[in-house]
């Protein structure tokens, strides 16, 4: 699929008349079109797509739909239905009234492209240039940074489930990369223990036996890979298993894995403790009564009293990173966009 820039982005006359008749005071979607002439043009997305192939949908339209989707808290399906049925959406996207829109699955594909290579930050920079040009962001004004928690797309696991699942994930990765190399290692008991997702609960049967077996299995697998499969040591799940094993077991004087306890060998702090083998950047955090596993999104916005609040930066960090620790990176981003403020407010914790 390639990008074929639209020859014009003028809102069709009939769409204008109907939208104005139905919404004389305008809507959020219409305001974006009226004041900013849209946030982006198709030329801004040319590097995202190959130069040949079948022409795809307008990426500028999809990006605008994604913004409206976030503002109005719509699912992909609801956003696609709004494009098909809502007149103000057609106005914002410069679409004919009879345009049927697109399938909701297109938005998921667009978001995958958006998440690559810092593209979201680049789009934010382009939008801020237009917003600043119309005077909605004051030069050297006031800004503030606050954060909100972001849940990771991972399942809550106990420590024993974490090690068991890390073992299963590593075995599946090795089976994909070198299926014949594990024949001499994997036993029928391993198939029973790691053949399906770990769901042991907080009170599994024979917990000490499970802890001992899983630790010995993990140590054996890691040593086997290190000695006989060195080309596979860099596998993502193998590395995750190694880190999970080190954080939850310690080798005793007889070189046997022993379960780490808080008052004995010690457990890693939440800032470094892995909570999922499938996303080792996810962390556990707590703020007041809120507890979650995931990340922190630090949102910076203008806060001048006589202008609308405009988001100028969004920085995502690991969950335990406080706003003050993220501030140097945020200030660098604002400097690159020429949006440094005279006063900047941040929660000192």
């Amino acid at each position: 699929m390639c990008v074929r820039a639209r020859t014009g982005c003028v809102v069709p006359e009939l769409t204008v008349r109907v939208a104005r008749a139905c919404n004389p005071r305008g809507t959020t979607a219409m305001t974006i079109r009226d004041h900013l002439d849209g946030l982006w043009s198709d030329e801004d997305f040319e590097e995202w797509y190959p130069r040949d192939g079948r022409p795809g949908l307008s990426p500028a339209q999809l990006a605008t739909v994604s913004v409206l989707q976030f503002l109005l808290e719509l699912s992909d399906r609801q956003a696609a239905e709004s494009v098909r049925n809502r007149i103000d959406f057609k106005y914002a996207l410069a679409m004919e009234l009879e345009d049927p829109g697109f399938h909701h699955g297109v938005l998921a594909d667009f978001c995958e492209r958006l998440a690559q290579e810092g593209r979201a930050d680049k789009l934010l920079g382009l939008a801020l240039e237009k917003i600043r040009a119309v005077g909605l962001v004051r030069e050297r004004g006031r800004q503030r940074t606050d954060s909100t928690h972001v849940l990771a797309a991972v399942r809550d696991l106990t420590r024993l489930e974490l090690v068991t699942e890390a073992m299963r994930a590593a075995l599946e990765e090795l089976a994909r990369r070198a299926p014949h190399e594990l024949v001499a290692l994997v036993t029928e008991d391993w198939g029973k223990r790691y053949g399906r997702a770990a769901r042991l609960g907080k009170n599994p049967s024979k917990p000490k036996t499970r802890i001992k077996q899983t630790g010995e299995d993990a140590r054996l697998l890691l040593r086997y890979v290190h000695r006989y499969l060195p080309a596979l040591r860099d596998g993502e799940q193998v590395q995750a298993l190694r880190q999970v094993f080190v954080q939850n077991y310690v080798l005793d004087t007889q070189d046997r894995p022993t379960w780490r306890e808080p008052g004995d060998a010690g457990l890693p702090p939440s800032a470094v403790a892995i909570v999922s083998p499938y996303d080792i950047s996810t962390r556990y955090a707590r703020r007041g009564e809120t507890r979650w596993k995931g990340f922190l999104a630090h949102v910076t916005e203008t806060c001048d009293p006589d202008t609308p609040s405009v988001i100028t930066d969004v920085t995502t960090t690991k969950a335990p990173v406080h706003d003050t620790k993220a501030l140097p990176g945020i200030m660098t981003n604002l400097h690159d966009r020429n949006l440094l403020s005279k006063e900047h407010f941040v929660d000192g914790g």
Side-chain angles (χ1 to χ4, degrees):
M1 185 177 66
C2 68
V3 174
R4 180 174 296 175
R6 292 173 293 171
T7 56
C9 296
V10 179
V11 184
E13 182 180 351
L14 181 58
T15 303
V16 173
R17 291 205 310 268
V18 175
R20 291 298 180 196
C22 296
N23 303 282
R25 296 185 178 181
T27 65
T28 300
M30 296 171 66
T31 300
I32 291 176
R33 170 61 58 179
D34 291 338
H35 292 276
L36 302 175
D37 193 25
L39 295 171
W40 304 281
S41 62
D42 287 339
E43 289 80 359
D44 297 328
F45 300 84
E46 289 181 338
E47 295 181 356
W48 294 29
Y49 299 87
R51 296 185 178 276
D52 55 356
R54 181 180 179 183
L57 296 170
S58 165
Q61 287 184 337
L62 295 177
T64 303
V65 172
S66 297
V67 172
L68 295 173
Q69 178 182 3
F70 172 79
L71 289 174
L72 302 176
E73 299 182 354
L74 303 176
S75 66
D76 287 353
R77 190 181 297 272
Q78 290 171 330
E81 290 177 352
S82 297
V83 173
R84 182 170 60 252
N85 299 322
R86 288 184 53 163
I87 296 173
D88 60 336
F89 270 55
K90 293 185 183 297
Y91 182 95
L93 302 175
M95 296 171 62
E96 299 284 354
L97 290 180
E98 63 268 21
D99 193 318
F102 47 79
H103 188 271
H104 63 85
V106 174
L107 290 173
D109 175 74
F110 179 80
C111 287
E112 289 182 4
R113 296 178 185 270
L114 181 62
Q116 301 172 7
E117 302 174 359
R119 290 169 174 170
D121 286 336
K122 294 178 182 177
L123 286 188
L124 177 59
L126 293 173
L128 286 172
E129 288 179 6
K130 286 194 172 183
I131 293 173
R132 183 169 53 187
V134 298
L136 295 180
V137 176
R138 178 179 297 174
E139 295 289 341
R140 306 294 293 181
R142 302 167 62 185
Q143 298 188 53
R144 64 187 175 198
T145 295
D146 203 352
S147 59
T148 184
H149 63 284
V150 179
L151 299 179
V154 297
R155 183 163 59 94
D156 284 338
L157 300 172
T158 64
R159 285 179 59 200
L160 179 55
E161 286 178 328
L162 172 63
V163 181
T164 304
E165 192 65 21
M167 182 71 179
R168 185 177 78 90
L171 284 171
E172 290 189 348
E173 180 182 68
L174 293 171
R176 290 192 301 268
R177 300 180 65 182
H180 302 294
E181 302 293 339
L182 298 178
V183 174
L185 181 65
V186 178
T187 64
E188 183 177 350
D189 289 339
W190 277 27
K192 293 179 181 179
R193 286 199 286 269
Y194 312 114
R196 62 183 63 185
R199 298 186 182 276
L200 305 176
K202 294 184 178 180
N203 298 302
S205 60
K206 301 180 180 179
K208 293 184 178 180
T209 300
R210 290 179 182 272
I211 289 172
K212 179 176 180 293
Q213 288 177 340
T214 307
E216 292 176 348
D217 293 345
R219 184 191 62 166
L220 177 60
L221 179 61
L222 290 171
R223 290 187 174 182
Y224 183 88
V225 173
H226 181 81
R227 177 173 298 181
Y228 300 108
L229 303 173
L232 305 182
R233 284 182 296 185
D234 62 343
E236 182 178 350
Q237 299 303 331
V238 172
Q239 288 298 313
L241 174 62
R242 183 186 63 81
Q243 295 180 60
V244 169
F245 177 79
V246 169
Q247 290 186 358
N248 290 276
Y249 288 91
V250 61
L251 297 179
D252 61 16
T253 56
Q254 298 180 354
D255 201 32
R256 295 175 301 187
T258 304
W259 196 238
R260 288 184 181 270
E261 298 293 347
D264 186 12
L267 293 172
S270 60
V272 297
I274 295 173
V275 298
S276 172
Y278 301 105
D279 189 347
I280 61 174
S281 62
T282 297
R283 295 292 184 268
Y284 170 83
R286 178 178 63 184
R287 280 193 174 185
E289 299 299 322
T290 304
R291 294 170 173 81
W292 78 99
K293 293 179 180 179
F295 310 90
L296 265 184
H298 306 268
V299 181
T300 302
E301 64 179 2
T302 60
C303 57
D304 292 305
D306 54 348
T307 59
S309 297
V310 177
I311 293 175
T312 55
D313 184 74
V314 179
T315 299
T316 304
T317 64
K318 294 180 180 180
V321 178
H322 200 271
D323 291 350
T324 54
K325 299 294 184 181
L327 192 58
I330 294 172
M331 299 303 289
T332 299
N333 294 339
L334 294 177
H335 177 270
D336 293 342
R337 296 182 179 128
N338 196 25
L339 286 174
L340 285 174
S341 55
K342 182 178 180 180
E343 292 182 284
H344 199 111
F345 301 92
V346 63
D347 184 3

